[in-house]
Amino acid sequence: EYKSYLRMLNLFLLIFIIDFGLQIVFGTISIIFRTEKFYDFIGSATFITCALTGALYTTQSQLDLGIRIIQALCICLWAGKLGSFLLYRVIKSGKDSRFDDAKKNPLKLFVYWMLQGCWVYLNMAPTVCLFTSDSKDDIKDVNVVTIIGWIVFLFGLVFETVADYQKTVFRNNPSNKGRFITSGLWSISRHPNYFGEIVLWYGLFISAAPYFTSNWAYFTILCPTATAAQICFLSGIPLLEKSGMAKWGNDPDYAAYVHSTGVLVPWLVCCECTPVPSKDLLVTSENGSSKQKQG
């Protein structure tokens, strides 16, 4: 058991060095050239590097190599998709507005890079525990729960990908300039891409859990939970909802959309964590709809 813990600590240390090493190197380049254009791409590349390193880590893990490879490929598939999508978006727009202030402050920009390192490390934790598993013979092969976890992951990945694609198509249509999307998955959730991302990380925790060989490893469920909390209460949904309120807060149609569409979970219209348009605007929206029908 001591050797098992030692191998796990060694891999966690190796992942830490790779993860934060990449953030420090490219963060320094980012500060020197005052650019954020490769920020998300490096984040995705870090996920891929850490996942493949962990899966192929030359320990004496008794877990089937195929399970480790599939788990790593799940992370690579998501990271490759997200990284290429965000790189395309920032190149097309010419900048990432999240970094407008940070680019002027080297310390703040460096903190952004370190936060990305923390994000990668936290989300990798359940999978790292799987990579160093010393499971007994009866559970060293593929487990039903693991398959369920991979299915949950794929559901979240597809949900996120479709939502991103729908919004990209919407934004690329010149007639939609200055408008908000309410079609497709965006008709049942105001942030379906974030919902998909949260689901897929819980899926990877589920797929890893059957192979945990220490009780403390189960606490890594706090890692996808931290990602969900960050999205819901810090830098994800709150920023976008604030931006939406600034643009369309007095628009009756936007008020109707917000009050009839769940902020995150599809069809769940409750649990608002940010300010929303006044319900008084709904009367205006209903009156406008009535006039259009009468006309």
Side-chain angles (χ1 to χ4, degrees):
E1 186 176 352
Y2 170 76
K3 291 182 179 181
S4 175
Y5 279 117
L6 187 60
R7 284 198 301 271
M8 185 180 296
L9 289 174
N10 285 340
L11 183 54
F12 267 107
L13 178 60
L14 177 60
I15 296 298
F16 180 89
I17 293 172
I18 293 173
D19 177 13
F20 285 94
L22 287 171
Q23 307 315 307
I24 291 172
V25 170
F26 286 97
T28 301
I29 296 173
S30 174
I31 291 170
I32 293 173
F33 292 97
R34 294 187 178 182
T35 180
E36 80 292 359
K37 291 183 179 179
F38 51 81
Y39 177 84
D40 290 308
F41 178 78
I42 295 302
S44 297
T46 304
F47 269 113
I48 293 172
T49 304
C50 291
L52 293 179
T53 300
L56 301 175
Y57 183 60
T58 55
T59 67
Q60 298 177 353
S61 173
Q62 298 176 22
L63 188 63
D64 183 73
L65 178 62
I67 296 174
R68 286 182 278 158
I69 292 295
I70 292 174
Q71 184 82 356
L73 288 179
C74 285
I75 293 176
C76 293
L77 183 63
W78 169 81
K81 185 274 303 182
L82 184 67
S84 58
F85 170 73
L86 294 177
L87 182 63
Y88 163 79
R89 190 173 70 178
V90 75
I91 290 176
K92 185 176 180 180
S93 64
K95 68 171 188 175
D96 188 330
S97 58
R98 294 176 300 172
F99 295 85
D100 286 347
D101 294 331
K103 285 188 292 185
K104 303 173 185 177
N105 186 331
L107 180 59
K108 188 173 183 180
L109 186 55
F110 185 76
V111 169
Y112 270 57
W113 282 92
M114 292 301 99
L115 288 175
Q116 177 163 258
C118 293
W119 175 58
V120 172
Y121 200 68
L122 280 174
N123 282 317
M124 283 296 304
T127 297
V128 171
C129 291
L130 175 145
F131 288 154
T132 56
S133 173
D134 269 340
S135 297
K136 297 177 181 179
D137 291 341
D138 58 338
I139 58 170
K140 72 178 181 181
D141 297 321
V142 68
N143 185 281
V144 173
V145 176
T146 297
I147 295 175
I148 292 173
W150 287 335
I151 292 173
V152 171
F153 163 82
L154 286 174
F155 170 79
L157 179 66
V158 170
F159 207 90
E160 180 187 43
T161 303
V162 171
D164 285 336
Y165 173 76
Q166 290 174 340
K167 193 165 190 178
T168 300
V169 171
F170 179 85
R171 283 180 168 176
N172 288 341
N173 186 341
S175 64
N176 291 326
K177 186 176 181 179
R179 300 174 58 191
F180 53 91
I181 183 172
T182 61
S183 57
L185 294 178
W186 300 83
S187 67
I188 59 175
S189 169
R190 303 207 300 276
H191 302 281
N193 52 339
Y194 284 147
F195 173 74
E197 182 171 349
I198 290 171
V199 167
L200 67 86
W201 285 119
Y202 275 111
L204 290 178
F205 169 81
I206 293 170
S207 62
Y211 305 103
F212 292 164
T213 51
S214 62
N215 291 332
W216 75 266
Y218 290 97
F219 285 102
T220 59
I221 193 173
L222 296 176
C223 298
T225 302
T227 294
Q230 175 260 323
I231 287 174
C232 292
F233 304 112
L234 295 175
S235 64
I237 290 175
L239 293 181
L240 291 177
E241 288 290 305
K242 182 179 179 180
S243 175
M245 281 291 292
K247 294 177 182 177
W248 309 294
N250 295 318
D251 185 338
D253 291 333
Y254 183 68
Y257 172 64
V258 169
H259 286 285
S260 63
T261 310
V263 65
L264 180 67
V265 181
W267 297 292
L268 184 63
V269 186
C270 68
C271 307
E272 296 289 347
C273 57
T274 57
V276 297
S278 170
K279 287 189 175 182
D280 294 339
L281 291 172
L282 298 179
V283 178
T284 307
S285 177
E286 291 172 0
N287 289 340
S289 299
S290 299
K291 290 178 181 179
Q292 289 179 357
K293 292 178 181 179
Q294 291 172 3

